[in-house]
Amino acid sequence: MKRLRPASSRWTGWLLVARPGALRSAQQQPVSLTLRRQQSTSTATAPASYNTQLDGTDHDRFPPLEPLPPSATSLPSPLPERALRSAKLAALHARLSLPKKLPLQTLARTLVDASADENPKFNNANLAFVGQTLINYHIAEWIMVRYPRLPMAIIWAAMLAYTGPAPLHQVARSWGIESAAVPGGEVDPGLLQYSLEKPGTAIRGFGYKREELDFIDKYKFRQSINSGVIFDDDYGNLIRENAQRQRQEEQDAMDANYDESIEPDHMSYGNEATRSLAENAHANFTRAVVGAIYAHCGRDAVKAFIKSHIMSRTLDFSKLFEFKNPTRELNMLCEREDFDPPIARMLSETGRLSRTPVYVVGIFSGNDKLGEAVGPSLDMARLKAAMNSLKSWYLYSPGGNARLPSDMLAPEARPWQPAYIDIGEVVAR
Amino acid sequence: MALNSSRSVLSSTCKALQQYSRSSQPLQQSLSRRLLPSAAPIRHFTSSPTCRSDKVPPTPTIFTEDEINAAKNGEQPPAELPEQQPAEPPAERPRWTYTPEKMKGPGFSINIVKDPRRTIWKNNEDPVVVDTMYKRLLGPGGDKMLPDEIKWMAITHKSFDQGRRGFNTRLAYFGRQILALESTREIMVSPAAQGELITDRYNREPFDHPAMANVDKLAFRQPRDLIHKDRVAKLALEVGMMRVVRWKPRLPENLEGSGLTVVLNTAIFAIVGAISLQHGAEVAQRVVREKILKKLGP
């Protein structure tokens, strides 16, 4: 019953408000309630102060699975002590093989999004910030060592593919996270709690809002990649500090225009905005777990966790590339590195006069073949061969098991061999 | 060798001869005259080894015994031939000192600029000035922490020389990740300031644990403010980075408007990233904590 996701705030409120007669009937028949409480005693004893009559839920419609604290429905998130009695939470802890040093109360806190509870001591905002910093550092160092020649734009794309909201959302889903329909103090602490109505404060990483942001939006200026390293976020996206407020204003405008007399003939269960909010909530949970492990267990444990859950994902780096003038760029690369100028030669062909010719073209610098490709026409094959040659340069790797700089933080680490540092990609014109 | 074109055979053989007998100019010229009928001057096509890393020495050229003997038994040395002596063998020139010859354009530009004075910008070329800056930033011995090429690459912005001599963008990205993590950790281990309390609207008691108390400090102090770009730029100016960075401002009369802050930040981040890749994270951590975060202040 708690799984359904109603569309707008009107419906949400309607579903959860107890029947007007419920509370009255409960008050008129205190004896039956007391009987019910004795019958439904759970093995874990609740504190004596818990009075099930006043927890705000409707006991006729939804018999409580466990005793709830007083006026639980008025709280934004479950109290920390309820974490010790949640089966879902204990199961999650065991499923992820989390270290024993990580208490259940912290794990419960990682499941509370900032949109559910605005108090930073009860939500996962700060934990998610720490986790995001850690994840981004470890993946960045891994990419730097594994592909030292990768162009900056490709690094951004790779970071988004490993540490962005979408992959972390998938990681959270793969952990078997279920979410509460609407956050509240009465929900199970093992459910992910976030609200679609109140967006909450976004986790703001590093980067600054550009002063010329309005001009960029209006005139579509192009920002340099290098300035993005300082100003933009870890994925090369512009920082917009007013995004949260904008979304809130849009939501308020929609609510103001809502006409109760007109019944909606269709219920949109979700749109792009709600999906992105849900994605961000799941991603923040993943980051918060990483942050919690770091806070309780230290750097080595968190590195092992990131390695097993995030670094283990596969990404085909060669699919991230896009070239505008591959032959020109390859020519400039050969000029810079002082190679012989690249020359395209046909290696083999078939079916030239047929409907489907096949040409195999290789690009040679002197006697060294830089790359080859198959294409349906001579030009296509040459362009593809140029792209493959550039990829073979940019995707140079000393191997997947190259040592990471953070390996030196382990005790008694072997002496460090300097990693290869490339001078940079070709600035293609 | 049979698959080599005659030109590469010529260049590799000439280089081999040069290595073995610098004084024997006539041998070199006689060989060139044998393989190349016209009396054209020798031109080296691949004048430098393919791999340019500081760590890897240039690969020696391969030649056969026959070629040496053939050269030694060659014809009489000619009467006169124009002397071909480059000022310095290009293979020994460090990469940061020159633009690749083939990448140079025709020598003039048909682009009509608004103000020709803006095309003039002089960058530092003196290694001593760079070393001084590194010593001021990283302490004594700071100039020896990075190899020569990396030292120059870390302070080279992408606008320098159209990006043909390398730039520090990638290193700066990695350096930013390092600084982000270190500044976050710095706040988490710093003592909690007195009087920082968040009262709960519902009078709840949060879960009390020292690890969580560390995390809660981030609510009051942002790591972004600790390593704010203006503070990092100020630190860079103090160590004399402005005279050292190699870049091309769009408006030499307005450096701040041309992005001086960004260039200085990029340089500092790139140095941090380079140290991490060169020495490992432990050394980089120490450098960041002692030389950068401490100097930036609380």
Side-chain angles (χ1 to χ4, degrees):
Chain A
M1 286 164 296
K2 284 277 186 188
R3 310 285 178 81
L4 290 176
R5 299 226 52 92
S8 73
S9 55
R10 309 283 179 230
W11 292 100
T12 311
W14 179 79
L15 277 173
L16 274 195
V17 157
R19 282 182 300 125
L23 198 55
R24 247 181 282 123
S25 61
Q27 283 168 349
Q28 281 162 12
Q29 303 158 15
V31 178
S32 60
L33 264 177
T34 328
L35 275 175
R36 195 182 295 140
R37 185 169 49 180
Q38 283 168 357
Q39 285 164 8
S40 63
T41 316
S42 53
T43 48
T45 50
S49 59
Y50 280 16
N51 190 345
T52 53
Q53 287 173 312
L54 299 174
D55 60 11
T57 56
D58 182 356
H59 289 246
D60 292 328
R61 286 186 74 212
F62 307 110
L65 297 168
E66 53 164 309
L68 290 172
S71 49
T73 46
S74 65
L75 298 175
S77 67
L79 289 178
E81 51 261 25
R82 283 191 57 211
L84 299 166
R85 289 194 301 282
S86 166
K88 278 191 168 56
L89 211 51
L92 177 64
H93 197 288
R95 202 158 63 234
L96 295 179
S97 308
L98 292 174
K100 290 210 170 39
K101 276 199 245 177
L102 185 75
L104 282 171
Q105 291 95 327
T106 307
L107 193 61
R109 186 173 155 182
T110 62
L111 283 159
V112 179
D113 192 54
S115 56
D117 192 338
E118 56 189 18
N119 188 333
K121 277 187 177 289
F122 288 90
N123 65 24
N124 66 9
N126 289 331
L127 283 165
F129 179 87
V130 173
Q132 183 188 47
T133 316
L134 279 158
I135 293 173
N136 287 12
Y137 167 75
H138 280 104
I139 299 293
E141 123 185 297
W142 185 55
I143 291 176
M144 289 285 303
V145 164
R146 205 164 139 225
Y147 294 111
R149 284 192 186 139
L150 221 52
M152 194 62 228
I154 312 293
I155 292 181
W156 275 335
M159 287 289 287
L160 191 64
Y162 272 108
T163 73
L168 294 183
H169 163 232
Q170 292 299 327
V171 169
R173 290 267 294 271
S174 73
W175 289 346
I177 299 300
E178 293 155 348
S179 45
V182 171
E186 77 282 6
V187 307
D188 191 307
L191 297 172
L192 178 65
Q193 299 138 55
Y194 62 99
S195 168
L196 296 175
E197 286 76 41
K198 289 177 290 167
T201 50
I203 310 289
R204 248 275 259 126
F206 291 80
Y208 312 90
K209 177 170 171 264
R210 293 174 190 252
E211 283 169 22
E212 65 271 13
L213 190 60
D214 298 329
F215 286 99
I216 293 173
D217 287 338
K218 189 173 169 193
Y219 297 109
K220 308 278 182 273
F221 289 160
R222 187 187 76 90
Q223 310 84 246
S224 67
I225 292 179
N226 202 103
S227 68
V229 169
I230 303 294
F231 280 116
D232 301 336
D233 65 6
D234 289 338
Y235 315 117
N237 300 321
L238 291 168
I239 303 267
R240 295 168 187 282
E241 293 200 12
N242 290 334
Q244 223 56 68
R245 218 177 304 148
Q246 247 181 351
R247 226 180 305 151
Q248 187 63 44
E249 283 163 9
E250 281 167 28
Q251 187 68 38
D252 291 340
M254 260 169 42
D255 288 344
N257 292 337
Y258 188 89
D259 196 346
E260 277 193 42
S261 60
I262 302 170
E263 204 188 352
D265 39 356
H266 71 278
M267 264 168 53
S268 53
Y269 275 95
N271 48 39
E272 210 174 297
T274 62
R275 276 194 287 276
S276 86
L277 282 171
E279 195 177 73
N280 279 329
H282 282 80
N284 283 340
F285 161 67
T286 312
R287 292 169 178 145
V289 170
V290 171
I293 294 176
Y294 176 65
H296 286 281
C297 314
R299 194 107 183 225
D300 297 323
V302 82
K303 188 173 169 188
F305 190 82
I306 293 172
K307 195 165 166 208
S308 50
H309 287 280
I310 301 173
M311 270 195 220
S312 55
R313 297 169 71 83
T314 322
L315 173 70
D316 188 358
F317 279 74
S318 67
K319 292 205 164 41
L320 298 173
F321 284 83
E322 189 188 46
F323 298 102
K324 280 211 179 85
N325 272 314
T327 45
R328 200 191 293 181
E329 201 172 325
L330 181 62
N331 213 11
M332 288 170 66
L333 177 67
C334 291
E335 284 170 357
R336 190 185 76 177
E337 301 298 320
D338 226 358
F339 295 157
D340 289 334
I343 297 173
R345 297 186 206 278
M346 181 110 76
L347 297 175
S348 64
E349 60 162 304
T350 180
R352 186 180 276 250
L353 298 174
S354 77
R355 183 180 170 275
T356 48
V358 173
Y359 302 100
V360 182
V361 167
I363 298 210
F364 291 80
S365 163
N367 279 326
D368 304 315
K369 186 165 79 173
L370 302 175
E372 77 168 28
V374 183
S377 68
L378 291 164
D379 265 338
M380 270 297 294
R382 185 170 56 95
L383 290 172
K384 282 169 81 172
M387 288 186 238
N388 283 347
S389 314
L390 285 167
K391 279 189 202 177
S392 75
W393 175 265
Y394 287 136
L395 288 173
Y396 157 73
S397 173
N401 294 329
R403 282 186 83 199
L404 302 169
S406 56
D407 290 346
M408 294 301 289
L409 295 170
E412 293 174 15
R414 285 194 330 266
W416 174 256
Q417 296 295 321
Y420 171 59
I421 302 176
D422 186 58
I423 67 167
E425 66 259 31
V426 173
V427 181
R429 283 177 222 123
Chain B
M1 285 299 260
L3 292 174
N4 282 2
S5 66
S6 59
R7 279 182 172 179
S8 55
V9 161
L10 165 66
S11 71
S12 57
T13 323
C14 290
K15 222 185 326 177
L17 289 171
Q18 232 181 9
Q19 274 181 6
Y20 269 73
S21 48
R22 273 196 190 277
S23 58
S24 54
Q25 280 284 4
L27 277 175
Q28 182 180 339
Q29 287 153 9
S30 71
L31 183 63
S32 76
R33 283 181 66 80
R34 271 188 53 199
L35 294 178
L36 209 60
S38 61
I42 303 161
R43 189 180 292 140
H44 297 267
F45 287 105
T46 30
S47 49
S48 49
T50 307
C51 175
R52 290 218 187 238
S53 164
D54 256 358
K55 301 282 165 230
V56 179
T59 49
T61 51
I62 302 165
F63 52 92
T64 59
E65 204 62 39
D66 296 336
E67 286 178 351
I68 304 174
N69 292 336
K72 281 189 190 151
N73 301 335
E75 54 186 359
Q76 297 277 332
E80 266 136 34
L81 256 183
E83 299 259 331
Q84 290 297 315
Q85 276 291 352
E88 190 184 29
E92 292 171 18
R93 262 195 304 170
R95 216 166 166 184
W96 57 265
T97 54
Y98 70 100
T99 312
E101 294 297 327
K102 293 182 199 163
M103 285 191 100
K104 287 185 178 167
F108 62 91
S109 172
I110 57 173
N111 181 37
I112 302 166
V113 293
K114 231 183 197 177
D115 187 350
R117 293 171 298 174
R118 289 181 185 159
T119 58
I120 303 161
W121 179 257
K122 202 83 185 56
N123 278 308
N124 170 58
E125 282 159 24
D126 188 6
V128 172
V129 178
V130 174
D131 284 346
T132 314
M133 187 280 296
Y134 271 99
K135 277 192 258 207
R136 283 175 74 176
L137 178 66
L138 303 174
D143 55 331
K144 301 199 183 32
M145 285 192 84
L146 295 172
D148 196 41
E149 291 278 2
I150 309 295
K151 254 199 307 202
W152 282 90
M153 200 216 303
I155 49 153
T156 305
H157 188 252
K158 201 168 178 182
S159 57
F160 175 66
D161 198 20
Q162 313 284 337
R164 293 180 289 198
R165 287 195 222 178
F167 42 90
N168 57 10
T169 305
R170 212 182 352 231
L171 284 173
Y173 182 77
F174 184 40
R176 178 173 116 156
Q177 306 297 330
I178 298 171
L179 273 170
L181 184 56
E182 286 304 316
S183 57
T184 305
R185 188 201 154 274
E186 186 82 6
I187 293 175
M188 283 171 73
V189 301
S190 63
Q194 294 301 320
E196 284 177 348
L197 283 171
I198 302 170
T199 50
D200 186 41
R201 204 156 31 125
Y202 308 93
N203 295 324
R204 294 174 291 174
E205 283 297 320
F207 173 57
D208 197 19
H209 195 285
M212 286 297 107
N214 283 340
V215 173
D216 290 331
K217 290 173 197 163
L218 289 165
F220 303 104
R221 287 174 72 199
Q222 298 289 329
R224 189 170 48 249
D225 298 327
L226 204 62
I227 53 165
H228 196 265
K229 60 179 162 70
D230 297 330
R231 298 173 107 202
V232 173
K234 188 158 158 286
L235 167 68
L237 289 170
E238 277 164 19
V239 300
M241 187 75 81
M242 197 166 116
R243 243 159 296 155
V244 167
V245 281
R246 302 200 294 177
W247 64 312
K248 170 65 185 69
R250 181 172 157 253
L251 310 166
E253 69 271 16
N254 178 10
L255 292 182
E256 192 53 57
S258 309
L260 178 66
T261 310
V262 170
V263 171
L264 294 172
N265 273 259
T266 313
I268 296 272
F269 291 174
I271 292 173
V272 170
I275 290 175
S276 179
L277 288 171
Q278 185 69 23
H279 296 284
E282 209 202 324
V283 172
Q285 232 178 40
R286 227 181 18 240
V287 162
V288 166
R289 284 175 204 171
E290 288 166 21
K291 305 294 176 196
I292 298 188
L293 289 179
K294 223 185 239 182
K295 286 186 192 164
L296 284 175

